[in-house]
Amino acid sequence: MFDKILIANRGEIACRIARTCRGLGIRTVAVYSEADADAAHLAACDEAWLLGPAPARESYLNTERILDVARRSGAQAIHPGYGFLSENPDFARACEAAGIAFIGPPAAAIEAMGSKRRAKALLAEAGVPLVPGYHGDDQSEAALLSAAEETGYPLLIKASAGGGGKGMRRVDRAEEFASALAAAKREAASAFGDDSVLLERYLLEPRHIEIQVFADSHGKVVHLHERDCSVQRRHQKVLEEAPAPGLTPALREAMGTAAVRAASAIGYVGAGTVEFIAEPDGRFYFMEMNTRLQVEHPVTEMITGLDLVEWQLRVAAGEQLPRAQNEIPLHGHAFEARLYAEDPHKDFLPSSGRILHLRLPEPELGLRIDAGVRAGEQVSVHYDPMLAKLIVHGPDRSAALQRLRRALDALQIVGPATNLSFLRRLAAHPAFAAGGVSTDFIERYRDALIPARQPVSARMIALAALAELLRLREIAARQAAVSGDPYSPWHAADGWRLNATGSHSLGFRDGDEDFEVSVGFQDDTYLLDLPEGQLQVSGSMGRDGSLLAVLGDQQLRATVVRDRDHLTVLCAAEACTLELRDPYGAGLEHGPDSGSLTAPMPGTVIAVHVSEGEHVSEAQPLLVLEAMKMEYTIRAPMNGVVEAVHYRAGDQVAEGVELLKVEAEAL
Ligand code: MV4
């Protein structure tokens, strides 16, 4: 077995591989790009080596750099994870040439499966069922046209070098074929540098069922049952499960046997996945073979109790497969949900930004979290937007689904937009609970899965208002504590004003809608005027943003995350982000009118918006201080000129020090 391996990947898969290595006493070498200098996978490994700039081609795809680090770190093997170089035969060869074991299949097997036409030709000989169609070498228009006539319509033209849905074109009528073929070949040539295509009868309502296979270097091949990956969006898997709902033991056996035959036919070694497309009547056909460990491998690990990365390491080290076919159990049911930094309301556009808050559900029996990020990290635009995977297991599908729902409800993340609410709706959808999974599931139920934005609920507005009021009270108390006159009524955060009622107004913005919440003060509670009527609220804020609130006669626990003027409130599975407007009303964020603006509490200056001599207007943000995991904006108390700026971003400041000085403009 290896003593030290290099993990040529990042994110959750790098952390996951490192976890198994730790358990086996194998030391690990992490590699990272400049954008990943504080990434989670570095802390998961024993060593960390910089590859280069953020772009993948200058870092995680840089074969020379990776091999150079492997040599200099003394790594005996390289685990490519998935994506990046995991299915690059040249990289596999370069590893072998450098005397470093490639933890994956032989380069020849990667190459064979990289061409759909070659793969189908090989597997047809092995008796693996193929979709009726054509995958011959004669790529002339005449040959393809006659093959199309034989296949029948509708049919699919697929690029031989394509995969994962790339390079597919549906043709419904004969008269469209010639132009569709020309377009498909042009696209294939430009996308893959290979314009060869194959034809397949178009299967309606297909299911995507894949079989996990494993082969060692001694000719042994086994399968570890199937996974259903039908719930996809534009060929990106979102939710996977094992075993496949409704698959009969006979069909499972037939698909498993066919998959093992496919792996044997190409002299496969290592972890692989044979993808089938299945029709409702149970007929199934080979689609493609993935020559790497897949993102969704944990659901197979949950139903078999096996560690596939450990198997990869043992097989790459020359060991025999740890189990025979009849020693691979199938227990219960598992799901995997993929948490992506992407915005379902913007057609799942990837999002980026700092993770301001991340609360992952506590791992427990039947719940595993494979995360590649931590709170405070930047989600980069350079790499795949997957942040984490939630994997659950239960004795049967409905128990596992119940666990998935609870885990998704318990997960909290604030910062970049994510698909979390979408996943919650997906897991809660009755059609999904009924097992009605097919590849068009998301399109079919799109309106329920991605509903129009709802207005913020009264409960969330009340929690946001309470959080803001408690914050203002905290700041006022601190400013009172550092002032010469701590008991001055001007420091009281109770809305007290000379000749005015004890009231106050908080301004919020929800999207593009502005609204106010009038606040009355009553002893140690607040009276909020909400659209539904008055509500008495009180509570306390923890240093970690936890809010214990009493709304009327109900006690609630919530989490509050503040990012400058944006306030995010999370309560149970509800979340909302509101922008705070009109801080004048607060009146408490400003320092005393002298213009000397002091730090209300110890913290870190994270932004300075002005410089000396600059004209500023009342309430203009001047500086942002971070303290207690929250951010405080110091604003101009009046129109004036910045006379002094004493600190810069990154400076630590003590409570009460003068941060800036603003000279009031002569009236
Ligand atoms: C098909 C098909 C229907 N008929 N082939 C899409 C991904 C690529 N691996 C193959 N895919 C398909 N091939 C025939 N002959 C429908 C799809 C397909 C699909 C397959 C599995 C999972 C999700 C899918 C989403 C759209 C289309």
Side-chain angles (χ1 to χ4, degrees), residues 234 342-351 417 450 453:
R234 292 202 196 131
E342 55 186 25
D343 190 343
H345 290 281
K346 293 179 182 167
D347 199 23
F348 293 88
L349 190 70
S351 73
I450 314 169
R453 282 190 195 284

Side-chain angles (χ1 to χ4, degrees), residues 116 131-132 155-156 158 163-166 168 199-209 229-232 234-235 237 275-277 285 287-288 438-440:
K116 283 180 177 299
V131 181
L155 61 76
L156 273 176
K158 289 187 177 180
K166 294 188 190 72
M168 279 186 359
L199 307 180
E200 289 182 355
R201 176 161 60 82
Y202 186 74
L203 305 180
L204 301 169
E205 280 193 40
R207 281 181 63 187
H208 176 151
I209 296 175
C229 308
S230 300
V231 180
Q232 306 189 6
R234 292 202 196 131
H235 309 297
K237 295 164 185 169
E275 290 190 7
F276 293 102
I277 193 165
Y285 311 96
M287 201 153 55
E288 53 198 74
S438 67
T439 56
D440 63 349

